Amino acid sequence: TATWEDRVLMAFDYVMNERIIYDATNGADGSFIVSANHSYGIAGVPSDAPLWCAAHDVAGQLGILSAGATYNSYTNVDLIGDLPTSCPEDHLITVTAMDQNDNQYQSGYGLTTIDLGSPSNGSTSEATPVVTGTVPLLLSTACPSFIQLYKDYPDSISLLIKDYILAGVDQVADLQGKTVTGGRLNAFNAMKLLLTEQCGQSF
């Protein structure tokens, strides 16, 4: 019987193979996958699923950033763990949920494990795809020179995209001391940072 880790790794294999085929055929086949959404609701710590955690950085070598949803309960992930949001891999962005008033919405937190909040109608499984979708949004608006950098150095440039997403957050009171950034996703701010620093475009 396949374990959760086995199933997740099979999903990773599909995503990575599509990107590998795309790169190998110069876009004639496969898919130009730049981000992947992960929402499972599995309790655990990285030592319970080492291959699962490591897969985020393996995918990251191809330029695929992962976004992971945390608990749908007010839980300190730093203390009890969660998969995948306890995974320490660099190519993973960990997400908690915010309501329309910028209050954390009954979801996990952690000063060292949860990166940022994201808008939601009530669950981290709704909040996390907003972050996942921000990655292709940024690439879709970037200048050709940055796209070429991403294709030439997918590992490091995908991490730079993550940096812009985290640096672009709006600071919100309800996340202070609860998340790495203390803020909620602002895709426009992330876009401004990328285009200003990489493409010479001002706002």
Side-chain angles (χ1 to χ4, degrees):
T1 302
T3 66
W4 265 106
E5 187 174 34
D6 295 332
R7 293 169 183 168
V8 172
L9 291 175
M10 285 189 287
F12 264 114
D13 281 346
Y14 176 80
V15 168
M16 289 189 288
N17 285 334
E18 283 291 302
R19 178 60 188 269
I20 289 168
I21 293 168
Y22 179 93
D23 290 344
T25 63
N26 197 29
D29 205 351
S31 303
F32 188 45
I33 297 173
V34 299
S35 61
N37 192 77
H38 300 270
S39 178
Y40 305 105
I42 304 299
V45 295
S47 60
D48 295 330
L51 297 178
W52 174 350
C53 285
H56 294 102
D57 277 351
V58 176
Q61 292 172 15
L62 299 170
I64 301 171
L65 277 175
S66 294
T70 190
Y71 287 105
N72 284 309
S73 63
Y74 195 66
T75 303
N76 190 335
V77 179
D78 288 355
L79 296 180
I80 70 167
D82 170 49
L83 292 171
T85 58
S86 287
C87 295
E89 276 63 28
D90 291 334
H91 291 87
L92 173 66
I93 304 173
T94 52
V95 185
T96 193
M98 308 297 293
D99 66 18
Q100 67 268 29
N101 297 313
D102 263 347
N103 293 314
Q104 188 185 4
Y105 191 93
Q106 300 175 357
S107 51
Y109 62 95
L111 187 57
T112 63
T113 49
I114 305 303
D115 289 320
L116 78 170
S118 180
S120 167
N121 287 328
S123 76
T124 58
S125 292
E126 293 175 346
T128 305
V130 182
V131 178
T132 308
T134 300
V135 178
L137 173 65
L138 296 185
L139 282 168
S140 74
T141 59
C143 51
S145 60
F146 185 79
I147 300 300
Q148 191 59 53
L149 273 178
Y150 171 78
K151 290 181 176 180
D152 291 342
Y153 307 100
D155 189 333
S156 57
I157 299 302
S158 61
L159 289 178
L160 183 58
I161 292 170
K162 174 183 176 178
D163 288 344
Y164 288 137
I165 290 172
L166 299 188
V169 299
D170 288 329
Q171 295 294 310
V172 294
D174 206 33
L175 291 181
Q176 299 302 308
K178 296 182 187 176
T179 63
V180 174
T181 64
R184 182 250 308 126
L185 173 73
N186 185 319
F188 181 63
N189 284 348
M191 188 186 303
K192 284 195 296 183
L193 287 170
L194 189 157
L195 293 179
T196 300
E197 294 186 7
Q198 300 296 325
C199 301
Q201 299 179 27
S202 59
F203 288 79

